[in-house]
Amino acid sequence: MTPPITFVTCIESGPLETQVIRMVDSLRRWGGAYANSPLWAVKPRFGPPVGKATRRELDRLGVEYHHTSRVDPHGWYAYINKTRALILAEQQATSEFIGWLDADLLFTGEPTELTPGSEEDIVACSSDNAGGTTGPNDRCEPFWREACQAVGIDLESLPWVTTEREGDRIRLYWNSGVFVFRRGTGLAAEHDRCTTRLLDVRLGSKVTGVFFTEQFGLSLAAAKLGLRFRQLSHSHNYEMGSAIHSQW
């Protein structure tokens, strides 16, 4: 049986077109029970249209294309497209769960851990400590304290997780490239509010600047809502890149 998840990704004119097609093709080929899951490609803000050839490929792969023409006041921040697309999906999809997939993913096998259990609201992976905090003596601790204050929660309310790569014990912080959450929890809207709040108060990490703002926002939103979570194995969100290839 196909798991009750509607997957969502962003597509916009340019490199995302190629990445999305490649990602979806890998899911359809090697996703196992998840291969035929509904998948939305959302163009959530004003900009050049997606190419006709891309639209044909989306149709071939059974992808629902959604778009809006909104001019976004936070459009300067590249990854705001993620939170905007998720809001649309949580409002309009009918599945039990919404799953986010970054466009640069490749599926090489069935992602068996992706469906949350009956006592879980979100599954995500703390794949590495890129901007997280291990506690009071960490150089990123002041950022997390200010971020929590900005969105209206107590830093000490953040649960602890262990990163897959380094084995660091850090305050709740996930990689947002892959996650699945229960529709109706309000996570999409809260994720958007936390992200835009951090942007509006001009708060950036000493380590990553504003590059991971929406990623910080995801963990803050889940903590603020008190969502029950389970950590995904590293196999479900394993990064490959020239900067880390020699180490990992």
Side-chain angles (χ1 to χ4, degrees):
M1 294 179 62
T2 300
I5 300 172
T6 297
F7 288 113
V8 184
T9 193
C10 273
I11 192 165
E12 296 182 273
S13 177
L16 280 181
E17 295 181 71
T18 302
Q19 289 183 318
V20 166
I21 296 303
R22 186 167 49 212
M23 181 271 287
V24 177
D25 189 39
S26 73
L27 174 64
R28 298 301 192 220
R29 291 187 189 201
W30 297 302
Y34 297 81
N36 296 316
S37 296
L39 198 151
W40 291 16
V42 182
K43 179 180 177 293
R45 55 187 169 187
F46 182 77
V50 172
K52 291 182 180 178
T54 299
R55 292 291 303 275
R56 288 195 294 270
E57 284 295 282
L58 293 176
D59 289 342
R60 178 182 69 83
L61 291 166
V63 177
E64 284 192 41
Y65 175 67
H66 297 259
H67 69 95
T68 70
S69 58
R70 85 182 259 171
V71 177
D72 198 317
H74 296 91
W76 61 269
Y77 178 63
Y79 305 115
I80 202 67
N81 57 5
K82 180 182 294 188
T83 63
R84 306 307 201 217
L86 284 169
I87 287 174
L88 179 70
E90 189 165 23
Q91 289 174 342
Q92 298 186 12
T94 58
S95 57
E96 185 177 2
F97 302 104
I98 303 294
W100 174 263
L101 302 174
D102 269 1
D104 60 358
L105 293 170
L106 286 175
F107 288 84
T108 60
E110 182 177 336
T112 55
E113 301 176 19
L114 278 187
T115 305
S118 60
E119 301 299 318
E120 298 164 347
D121 299 312
I122 182 170
V123 294
C125 183
S126 183
S127 56
D128 61 68
N129 184 5
T133 175
T134 58
N137 295 323
D138 194 293
R139 61 176 174 163
C140 290
E141 181 84 347
F143 164 78
W144 282 94
R145 188 173 300 281
E146 289 191 45
C148 287
Q149 184 177 8
V151 303
I153 60 175
D154 182 3
L155 175 67
E156 299 302 329
S157 71
L158 294 182
W160 294 88
V161 294
T162 301
T163 64
E164 295 291 320
R165 180 167 290 155
E166 305 91 349
D168 288 348
R169 181 176 181 266
I170 64 172
R171 300 190 192 275
L172 183 65
Y173 176 44
W174 295 310
N175 183 291
S176 63
V178 183
F179 60 93
V180 179
F181 66 96
R182 189 176 300 278
R183 189 173 61 85
T185 58
L187 178 65
E190 192 59 50
H191 183 193
D192 185 69
R193 281 192 290 269
C194 288
T195 300
T196 56
R197 176 61 179 162
L198 296 183
L199 295 174
D200 288 343
V201 299
R202 302 183 180 184
L203 185 59
S205 165
K206 287 183 178 180
V207 175
T208 64
V210 298
F211 187 79
F212 286 151
T213 297
E214 62 78 20
Q215 188 160 278
F216 299 138
L218 174 64
S219 302
L220 294 170
K224 190 171 183 179
L225 294 171
L227 300 188
R228 303 163 297 175
F229 67 89
R230 168 171 53 85
Q231 179 143 315
L232 294 173
S233 300
H234 204 191
S235 61
H236 283 54
N237 198 345
Y238 185 83
E239 299 172 73
M240 296 190 70
S242 58
I244 58 175
H245 183 71
S246 61
Q247 292 177 272
W248 305 105

